[in-house]
Amino acid sequence: MKRKLALLMSTVLLAVAVAGCGSSGSSSQNDAGGGNTETESKEEAPAATEETVVGEAEDSFKVEAEVDTGGYQKNESLDLDEKVTLNVFGPGVFNVGEEGVTDLTSGIFKPGYQEIIDRWNEFYPNVTLEIEPAAWDSWQSAITTACLSGEVDIIMHGGTMTDLTEDLAPYLDKEPEYYERIYGTASRRTTEHPDAFKVSGISVSLSPCIGWLDTKIFEDYGVDLPTSDWTYDDLLELAEKLTGTDPVTGQETYGVLLYSSGGSNLWFNYVQAANALGAKVFKYGSSIEECEVDFMSPESVAAFQLISDLSKFESPGSKEGVAVSSTINGENDWAIMFWDGVMAKHFEAEAAELGDRYVPINMPLCSVGEYKGIPTPHAGDNNMAIFKDSDNKEWAWEFIKFMTTDEKATQWVVSNMEVPNNKAGKDMVQELVGSELATVIDYSLNTLPEYYNNATNDVFNNVSFGSVTNTLITAVDNVVNENMTPEEAAQSMQDYVDEYLSTLN
Amino acid sequence: MQKKKITKRDVKRNLTWYSFIIVTLIALAVLVYFPTLKTFYFSATNMGTYGTDYEVIGLRNYRTLLTSKSFLKALANTMLLALYGLLTIPLGFLLANAINSLGRTKLQGFFRVMFYMPNIITGVSVVLIFQYVLKGNGGLLNQFLSLVTGREVTIGWITDPSLSHVGATIIWIWMNLGYSMLLNLANLQSIPTEIYDAASVDGATTWKRMIYITVPQMKSCFAFLFVTGMINGLSRFTDLYILGGNACAGRPNGTLQTILMYIYQYSFESPRYGLSSAGAVILFIIVFVMTIFNVQLSGFLKGGDD
């Protein structure tokens, strides 16, 4: 009896062990990469503590290009004898730490922020920079707490927190030549500005969402690569052609891997599709109650339909959010993939010695509406905002300008594998990633609509409507997994917003 | 009984002893009770995104929550998942019986340790592993079922909204079975063997000994596991958060969104602290009721009569 029992339990244990060891494939790659779009970046941009910190890098990259970025000129109009401490708090580019970190994928050493402090002090020895990076976990709460303490001048990635930030539009109005030199701002749709975006921050780095094509799969199927003027119709056609059994390798391939497939930023697919199809969902009023929201418009439903159509050419694992391998490693089963960590993706391919196989392409062009003819707008960023109650607003603005125009600061940003928000920095990016990707990045950023923001715009608003983002994640996920029709998904969004607005009265 | 009057002298004499607990009491008051009371207060305010400029709005947040479909869905999910999670009790009991039957041997020690092992693995790892076990397309469980049934099984244990509770419960049971087994085993081994011996002399079968001796003797253990299991189940978060792709949406279709995830989204993702505080208070009340239930079952308040 005892022997039988022991045998039975051994079997159970074995089953348990098998369950425990079942992960033979690559680990879930949900949202791995370097995207740092406002809300998404909380999980995607690693804090310094998550990487190999400091020490001798296995490899190191330093932008050496003698590039004329226009440079940063010391502002003599400021009181240079004044002793000032400028407090910088929040997550973002300074998460590399004081001494820097080594990127785990590429082995490239990312320099720390001490270099920025040193460079800044060459201009302004009277201004002490106190940089306190914050982890992405609950970053908004951390910023709120820090601001309540009053000891913050510059909020890293504060662009999304419009209630805490200074409106930078007047600053830009005063210095139009500066505005000309950068790609874009961190702006938000708010009810304070019903007819326009509030410039709540300036991006230090930008990362446009682009497509990556596996040329081998295209070649195996005998399909030509798309060109930069491709549309979503072209994408659908290509995705269909490239889904099936690879005629050369015999492996199953799938036409497309949706943005953030299986991850928490899946909802951006709706924003992209709705923009491409010219949907206008949000009509802003002077208060949230006065906003008009219409997710049931034909364009909005069509956006869900587009996601549904595309997902037919996605792998079952990706739809489930399990074993989503967005990391470029040569074993990918997707032919076309969308991601906004442009530099990170490039170095993934380089690390796998597959730089020639995976080529970048801009997002498909919008077919109708306001954005007709331009690549579907989407760019992640790391931004800096000025705390509205700061006593050092002038110095804070000066630091922001310094970070986005100074040659050494631009080099530092590029060396950290970020795309600087500085048009003149294009050559540095090119030196780092080659002309093909640099051109795609430059094209994507130059065509980005003025004041465009991924998360608060005419088709979506993730700030003012409670948990609407989670509802959209659910809706898109349901469409992808065929648990809802596009109409039902649109209706679920409308129902949520209606319910939310009713709770405000 | 006449109450003894506490004099200054008594206090002075016992001051040393009070000094030992005063730090704990202050820490509890400052770090636990004060924030709890504050949460009650905030739940009656319209505190918004940045925790400033708010006013008292009475019970409006509670009305909002209790008439919100999404909150009620989260509430139902939480209760159902907590109840399903109680399956660890009978399963743990059966396992404990099996292990106990091995006698006090090395083999028993081995199985005891091995079955408890999942308990010390972090929830994050367990979920990542179980994503591969439970995935619809080529998941281990489906592969096993395909082998048994002889045809391809592609059940979406964690993607099909109608089955996601089953998938989530499988993970929960795997994570908590060891604990339940260990407690059941400890309790089983504390039952006096004389009772079994007497029953055997009276001709009681194994089944009857189980029904009439073991199960009644295990009552307090079951009660404890029931209440702690419910409380743990009601505060379920991490595994479901990761299962949903590091989001509080409770994918698929919100079927795995628990109250804690609901509270989290209104605390950190799109802050409305008044609303999230009201949610926290509702959760507190539910857990409090469960605790009272526990106290009643365990007879804690009856102490002193014994």
Side-chain angles (χ1 to χ4, degrees):
Chain A
M1 179 67 181
K2 279 183 187 176
R3 193 173 292 176
K4 280 182 185 171
L5 256 177
L7 197 67
L8 179 70
M9 282 187 293
S10 298
T11 311
V12 175
L13 263 181
L14 192 66
V16 169
V18 166
C21 300
S23 169
S24 58
S26 60
S27 61
S28 178
Q29 295 293 335
N30 297 354
D31 296 351
N36 19 21
T37 309
E38 294 304 333
T39 51
E40 76 199 76
S41 47
K42 62 187 176 187
E43 66 178 275
E44 282 156 13
T49 51
E50 291 165 355
E51 298 186 36
T52 309
V53 185
V54 200
E56 288 299 311
E58 291 168 18
D59 190 6
S60 63
F61 175 85
K62 194 79 180 171
V63 177
E64 301 294 350
E66 288 297 323
V67 176
D68 180 14
T69 62
Y72 171 77
Q73 300 298 320
K74 186 175 181 178
N75 189 342
E76 301 284 354
S77 68
L78 294 165
D79 182 355
L80 301 178
D81 296 323
E82 182 189 18
K83 290 283 176 202
V84 176
T85 299
L86 207 52
N87 291 292
V88 182
F89 181 87
V93 288
F94 295 135
N95 279 20
V96 289
E98 197 172 347
E99 303 297 332
V101 296
T102 300
D103 179 69
L104 292 177
T105 308
S106 62
I108 288 174
F109 182 69
K110 297 175 168 183
Y113 61 73
Q114 186 58 46
E115 288 189 14
I116 291 294
I117 294 174
D118 294 342
R119 175 67 173 167
W120 168 257
N121 284 336
E122 286 177 23
F123 291 101
Y124 306 108
N126 59 315
V127 180
T128 305
L129 267 182
E130 290 284 350
I131 297 175
E132 190 180 343
W136 284 109
D137 294 332
S138 306
W139 59 280
Q140 286 169 304
S141 308
I143 287 175
T144 306
T145 309
C147 288
L148 286 174
S149 77
E151 290 186 354
V152 177
D153 298 301
I154 294 174
I155 308 171
M156 294 303 297
H157 219 63
T160 193
M161 307 177 79
T162 52
D163 290 358
L164 289 179
T165 59
E166 181 86 348
D167 185 359
L168 299 181
Y171 292 75
L172 290 173
D173 287 343
K174 277 186 208 164
E175 299 185 54
E177 70 287 353
Y178 165 69
Y179 186 45
E180 283 299 312
R181 294 170 64 183
I182 59 174
Y183 282 114
T185 58
S187 305
R188 293 289 177 281
R189 274 283 197 194
T190 70
T191 47
E192 292 167 47
H193 298 66
D195 301 321
F197 285 85
K198 173 181 176 178
V199 183
S200 50
I202 300 290
S203 307
V204 179
S205 66
L206 284 157
S207 195
C209 186
I210 63 169
W212 289 90
L213 313 171
D214 184 341
T215 55
K216 184 172 184 312
I217 294 180
F218 274 81
E219 213 174 283
D220 290 352
Y221 280 89
V223 175
D224 291 335
L225 294 177
T227 50
S228 61
D229 58 350
W230 68 328
T231 63
Y232 278 94
D233 288 338
D234 299 327
L235 171 62
L236 275 169
E237 198 182 319
L238 286 169
E240 187 173 7
K241 283 180 185 169
L242 298 164
T243 300
T245 308
D246 189 305
V248 177
T249 64
Q251 301 287 316
E252 289 300 305
T253 64
Y254 300 92
V256 70
L257 179 68
L258 291 176
Y259 178 80
S260 184
S261 200
S264 59
N265 292 317
L266 191 64
W267 58 279
F268 277 118
N269 287 288
Y270 171 79
V271 179
Q272 292 174 354
N275 274 325
L277 299 175
K280 292 278 180 200
V281 178
F282 285 80
K283 193 175 172 192
Y284 290 87
S286 56
S287 67
I288 297 171
E289 290 90 335
E290 287 175 24
C291 288
E292 288 175 29
V293 184
D294 181 16
F295 275 101
M296 293 306 293
S297 69
E299 294 83 4
S300 171
V301 175
F304 281 113
Q305 184 64 54
L306 177 56
I307 296 168
S308 170
D309 293 344
L310 282 170
S311 67
K312 290 186 176 73
F313 309 115
E314 219 189 4
S315 78
S318 302
K319 288 185 198 179
E320 283 191 85
V322 182
V324 185
S325 184
S326 61
T327 306
I328 290 176
N329 56 18
E331 292 174 10
N332 312 112
D333 56 7
W334 45 260
I336 304 165
M337 186 265 281
F338 297 100
W339 198 248
D340 61 356
V342 278
M343 303 281 246
K345 276 281 159 277
H346 169 81
F347 283 108
E348 272 172 23
E350 290 291 316
E353 297 180 354
L354 295 165
D356 295 335
R357 178 169 154 184
Y358 293 89
V359 298
I361 187 168
N362 55 268
M363 291 291 286
L365 305 189
C366 299
S367 49
V368 287
E370 189 184 349
Y371 302 141
K372 185 180 177 183
I374 65 165
T376 305
H378 184 127
D381 84 334
N382 279 297
N383 60 65
M384 299 173 106
I386 300 177
F387 179 40
K388 65 178 182 182
D389 294 334
S390 165
D391 294 329
N392 302 308
K393 286 177 187 166
E394 278 192 330
W395 283 109
W397 174 244
E398 207 55 40
F399 182 66
I400 289 173
K401 282 196 299 176
F402 161 80
M403 279 302 294
T404 44
T405 55
D406 180 61
E407 190 175 321
K408 295 287 179 195
T410 306
Q411 275 182 355
W412 181 85
V413 171
V414 177
S415 298
N416 270 291
M417 293 162 66
E418 300 278 355
V419 180
N421 184 19
N422 179 347
K423 290 176 186 173
K426 183 193 166 191
D427 289 342
M428 287 188 199
V429 174
Q430 186 168 318
E431 187 198 340
L432 183 58
V433 299
S435 62
E436 194 174 21
L437 178 55
T439 305
V440 172
I441 291 171
D442 190 51
Y443 175 50
S444 302
L445 291 179
N446 271 320
T447 51
L448 203 62
E450 190 175 29
Y451 301 127
Y452 180 76
N453 174 262
N454 297 332
T456 60
N457 46 50
D458 289 339
V459 300
F460 195 61
N461 184 313
N462 77 335
V463 174
S464 309
F465 294 86
S467 60
V468 69
T469 310
N470 277 337
T471 311
L472 186 54
I473 294 171
T474 302
V476 173
D477 184 58
N478 277 330
V479 167
V480 168
N481 284 293
E482 296 176 44
N483 295 326
M484 269 185 185
T485 64
E487 289 78 10
E488 286 168 343
Q491 188 64 57
S492 71
M493 291 302 299
Q494 191 64 47
D495 289 347
Y496 170 79
V497 173
D498 289 346
E499 184 189 306
Y500 181 81
L501 289 174
S502 72
T503 66
L504 300 174
N505 300 318
Chain B
M1 188 181 155
Q2 197 183 351
K3 279 188 179 175
K4 190 186 169 190
K5 197 181 173 190
I6 299 171
T7 62
K8 273 186 181 177
R9 201 173 159 192
D10 290 334
V11 172
K12 204 174 174 183
R13 197 168 43 204
N14 290 317
L15 211 55
T16 314
W17 310 115
Y18 286 122
S19 69
F20 286 128
I21 59 168
I22 194 73
V23 176
T24 311
L25 281 179
I26 290 172
L28 265 176
V30 173
L31 301 175
V32 178
Y33 299 127
F34 179 68
T36 306
L37 289 174
K38 266 285 191 193
T39 304
F40 274 90
Y41 171 66
F42 289 151
S43 73
T45 69
N46 60 355
M47 184 183 278
T49 314
Y50 301 115
T52 52
D53 303 330
Y54 56 88
E55 55 192 47
V56 175
I57 55 165
L59 297 176
R60 203 192 298 170
N61 285 329
Y62 293 94
R63 195 186 65 192
T64 300
L65 286 178
L66 295 173
T67 54
S68 156
K69 280 183 203 161
S70 48
F71 180 77
L72 293 175
K73 190 176 178 182
L75 188 65
N77 289 337
T78 312
M79 296 303 289
L80 283 172
L81 286 168
L83 285 171
Y84 296 151
L86 295 178
L87 278 171
T88 51
I89 303 174
L91 291 174
F93 175 65
L94 291 175
L95 198 59
N97 263 293
I99 291 176
N100 196 37
S101 307
L102 295 171
R104 290 181 185 271
T105 58
K106 281 184 182 173
L107 208 57
Q108 188 192 82
F110 170 75
F111 283 120
R112 207 166 46 192
V113 171
M114 285 296 120
F115 278 110
Y116 189 72
M117 202 72 95
N119 244 72
I120 57 173
I121 300 174
T122 58
V124 179
S125 316
V126 173
V127 174
L128 290 177
I129 288 165
F130 265 89
Q131 282 185 327
Y132 285 89
V133 176
L134 299 176
K135 76 187 181 112
N137 181 53
L140 273 181
L141 182 57
N142 282 345
Q143 281 184 33
F144 172 73
L145 293 174
S146 300
L147 204 70
V148 171
T149 58
R151 55 181 179 178
E152 195 183 357
V153 177
T154 54
I155 299 170
W157 298 102
I158 46 176
T159 48
D160 183 342
S162 60
L163 286 168
S164 57
H165 280 190
V166 178
T169 302
I170 290 173
I171 297 176
W172 186 253
I173 288 175
W174 195 85
M175 286 165 76
N176 294 287
L177 187 61
Y179 175 71
S180 170
M181 176 276 294
L182 208 64
L183 251 71
N184 272 296
L185 186 62
N187 225 69
L188 272 176
Q189 292 177 342
S190 68
I191 300 172
T193 50
E194 292 83 355
I195 308 176
Y196 289 107
D197 295 340
S200 297
V201 170
D202 290 342
T205 60
T206 309
W207 177 245
K208 282 190 173 174
R209 286 205 299 270
M210 168 80 84
I211 296 297
Y212 295 110
I213 300 173
T214 311
V215 172
Q217 291 287 329
M218 297 290 290
K219 202 175 131 193
S220 61
C221 174
F222 292 157
F224 176 76
L225 282 172
F226 172 78
V227 177
T228 52
M230 276 304 280
I231 291 172
N232 287 336
L234 291 172
S235 17
R236 205 167 161 188
F237 178 85
T238 312
D239 57 334
L240 302 179
Y241 180 80
I242 298 163
L243 213 53
N246 295 338
C248 280
R251 274 185 284 176
N253 199 21
T255 53
L256 295 183
Q257 188 183 52
T258 61
I259 301 181
L260 220 53
M261 289 159 83
Y262 191 92
I263 294 169
Y264 183 91
Q265 72 181 358
Y266 277 115
S267 299
F268 302 110
E269 292 182 347
S270 42
R272 278 180 76 187
Y273 295 124
L275 208 60
S276 61
S277 297
V281 169
I282 291 173
L283 180 61
F284 170 80
I285 291 168
I286 295 170
V287 173
F288 185 73
V289 169
M290 294 305 305
T291 311
I292 294 289
F293 189 55
N294 180 23
V295 165
Q296 290 290 338
L297 276 178
S298 60
F300 181 76
L301 291 179
K302 291 176 192 165
D305 291 342
D306 299 330

